[in-house]
Amino acid sequence: MRTLNIQLKSLAIFRNLLKDPVIAALSEFLNKTDTVEAVSAYAEFVAALYRTDKRTLAGHVQSIVGQDENAYIRMIGRGMTPWPEMEADVEAELQVLQTVADLTPQTLRSGLNWGGYLPGFAVKQVDLAGTYRERCRDIGKYGYGVYAKYHMFYVNQDNKIVPVRNPDRTRLSSLVDYEEEKKTIVDNTVALLEGRPAANILITGDAGTGKSSTVKAVGNELRDRGLRILEVRKDQLRELPWVLDELSCNPLKFILFIDDLSFQKDDDDFSALKAILEGSVSARSRNVVIYATSNRRHLVKETFSDREGDDIHRNDTMQEIISLSERFGIQITFQKPNRQTYLDIVHHLAKEHGLVYDPIRLELEAEQFVMHRGSRSARAAAQFIDSLIAAK
């Protein structure tokens, strides 16, 4: 066991794994010689394993190896060939980590001079080298680092890309109607994933029609094919150049998602987005597209003074304002649902949630509900169903 601990300490490619709580606790246990200290360290190791979402040590090791961001996997992600010495290092280190994955409670407890109770953990067999090589061969599908573990991200207040740990789990099957609109978005996204030309998309329409939900649902459907979503707020648009630079070397494909986009006249963020859409060097990355939603067709809030002022270049100014939307290669409109579509959504959601309701009564109450909400929408239908569930 002491030899295994020395081998762990010698890791170079996978050195980040020594900071993993389970591996760190295991190393601490392997270093103990005093019985009392060793028993305590063993229990701490098992406790650390229990705190993960993996039942087995092998499963945990396989997970952290696959998600590790290291010099070797970054080279592969950039399409480079790793150096021969790195290949040899990876092979040797995977053998060490395979030994760790093969450890059983009986093996670890065999050297302890203690016959009393000690906790255990489940055991399974994994092919660490085989699965890692598969990930490397299909790096554009799996990714690495935090992008291998999560599929939705946002830019925080410190201008850092961080994962959404509890993302919206909406699926396309949950979104009723708008089939043509959904197909256009899906087809464009598949083109991105397959390395074909893909367009930036502007999705407009009335509030609550499912614009944002559709983008997130596409992300959920296609995550296993290498799609990731990064949400950027409007006031962060000036940060897009460095975001695009950050993502350009990543083997995965990304949707930069800007929700509820609109501008005031002379808004600095307007110029920032325009520059990106016009095709700056950073914007030419083939693994990123921009999907934006807006309740406004022309994105910039206009006033009558904008239309009737004394600006001698008024026409040029107005054309500049309304032209931003034209810089999106695809424009899609989600129309407000009519009565039948609204009721179809209600019935679909009721069935999805297992609600047993008289159809006529359900439609009557759905119509009464929306009378107090102002207009029919997919959001209003979801709120109505939520009210029925809450009343049960």
Side-chain angles (χ1 to χ4, degrees):
M1 289 300 173
R2 181 174 175 79
T3 299
L4 177 58
N5 198 29
I6 295 173
Q7 290 175 325
L8 280 173
K9 298 297 186 182
S10 72
L11 295 178
I13 299 296
F14 294 102
R15 195 158 191 81
N16 288 333
L17 271 55
L18 298 179
K19 301 175 184 177
D20 174 76
V22 176
I23 300 301
L26 174 63
S27 179
E28 186 68 18
F29 163 69
L30 296 175
N31 196 45
K32 298 297 184 183
T33 56
D34 178 79
T35 299
V36 175
E37 291 182 352
V39 167
S40 178
Y42 171 80
E44 178 56 38
F45 154 69
V46 177
L49 181 60
Y50 284 175
R51 286 191 287 268
T52 71
D53 60 354
K54 304 297 180 184
R55 184 183 177 192
T56 65
L57 176 59
H60 179 70
V61 173
Q62 186 177 47
S63 177
I64 60 175
V65 167
Q67 295 169 6
D68 185 51
E69 181 174 351
N70 54 62
Y72 177 81
I73 200 72
R74 284 198 298 269
M75 289 184 73
I76 292 177
R78 292 186 175 94
M80 302 169 61
T81 301
W83 309 318
E85 56 269 31
M86 294 182 75
E87 291 287 3
D89 289 343
V90 168
E91 183 177 350
E93 292 184 17
L94 286 173
Q95 290 178 5
V96 173
L97 293 166
Q98 183 69 59
T99 301
V100 174
D102 291 340
L103 290 172
T104 66
Q106 293 75 20
T107 302
L108 290 172
R109 294 186 302 219
S110 62
L112 295 176
N113 186 24
W114 171 247
Y117 166 78
L118 281 173
F121 54 89
V123 175
K124 77 171 185 178
Q125 298 295 316
V126 297
D127 177 10
L128 213 55
T131 55
Y132 193 71
R133 294 302 184 188
E134 179 186 350
R135 296 183 75 93
C136 292
R137 285 193 301 269
D138 209 351
I139 191 68
K141 174 181 176 182
Y142 294 106
Y144 56 79
V146 69
Y147 296 105
K149 187 175 183 179
Y150 301 97
H151 74 290
M152 289 192 182
F153 302 83
Y154 67 98
V155 178
N156 67 9
Q157 293 182 342
D158 297 324
N159 290 328
K160 294 182 179 180
I161 298 175
V162 296
V164 178
R165 300 184 185 277
N166 295 290
D168 187 327
R169 301 186 184 280
T170 302
R171 309 293 295 197
L172 286 173
S173 59
S174 300
L175 304 177
V176 180
D177 204 50
Y178 304 107
E179 297 303 324
E180 183 176 344
E181 292 83 354
K182 290 187 293 187
K183 184 178 185 303
T184 300
I185 297 172
V186 170
D187 288 347
N188 188 70
T189 309
V190 170
L192 172 71
L193 291 171
E194 294 179 350
R196 295 183 281 115
N200 299 318
I201 298 181
L202 174 63
I203 309 170
T204 61
D206 295 294
T209 50
K211 303 182 297 295
S212 300
S213 295
T214 298
V215 175
K216 294 174 182 177
V218 169
N220 291 331
E221 298 289 343
L222 300 176
R223 61 174 296 182
D224 292 338
R225 295 180 61 176
L227 180 66
R228 302 293 182 264
I229 292 182
L230 172 58
E231 186 163 3
V232 181
R233 300 194 313 271
K234 182 182 78 71
D235 61 343
Q236 296 172 323
L237 292 178
R238 282 167 288 183
E239 308 299 329
L240 280 185
W242 78 258
V243 171
L244 291 167
D245 285 341
E246 176 89 3
L247 301 181
S248 63
C249 295
N250 198 298
L252 298 168
K253 302 297 192 296
F254 291 85
I255 292 173
L256 276 184
F257 178 45
I258 310 168
D259 196 19
D260 196 18
L261 183 63
S262 65
F263 299 99
Q264 299 290 343
K265 185 183 178 184
D266 299 325
D267 194 327
D268 290 340
D269 297 319
F270 173 90
S271 299
L273 180 58
K274 179 185 172 185
I276 295 296
L277 292 172
E278 282 181 338
S280 67
V281 173
S282 298
R284 292 173 185 166
S285 174
R286 297 186 63 182
N287 69 327
V288 180
V289 291
I290 297 174
Y291 289 3
T293 68
S294 177
N295 295 338
R296 303 178 61 86
R297 171 64 177 82
H298 294 306
L299 301 181
V300 179
K301 297 178 180 178
E302 307 169 41
T303 65
F304 285 109
S305 62
D306 292 329
R307 295 179 179 274
E308 302 173 0
D310 57 5
D311 185 351
I312 60 174
H313 300 296
R314 178 175 58 84
N315 186 60
D316 290 342
T317 301
M318 291 306 303
Q319 288 300 317
E320 177 75 4
I321 289 175
I322 66 175
S323 67
L324 180 62
S325 60
E326 304 301 328
R327 289 179 168 83
F328 288 86
I330 297 176
Q331 298 176 42
I332 300 171
T333 301
F334 277 57
Q335 301 288 353
K336 184 185 300 183
N338 57 28
R339 179 179 181 276
Q340 189 55 55
T341 299
Y342 168 71
L343 294 178
D344 287 344
I345 297 172
V346 168
H347 283 292
H348 178 86
L349 293 176
K351 181 179 180 181
E352 192 174 69
H353 287 86
L355 291 179
V356 179
Y357 231 80
D358 176 69
I360 297 178
R361 181 185 171 191
L362 181 68
E363 292 186 2
L364 178 61
E365 292 188 10
E367 284 286 82
Q368 291 174 341
F369 181 87
V370 82
M371 286 178 62
H372 302 288
R373 299 285 167 159
S375 63
R376 302 182 182 94
S377 69
R379 181 180 299 160
Q383 291 171 342
F384 168 64
I385 294 300
D386 286 344
S387 71
L388 296 183
I389 295 173
K392 289 182 66 176

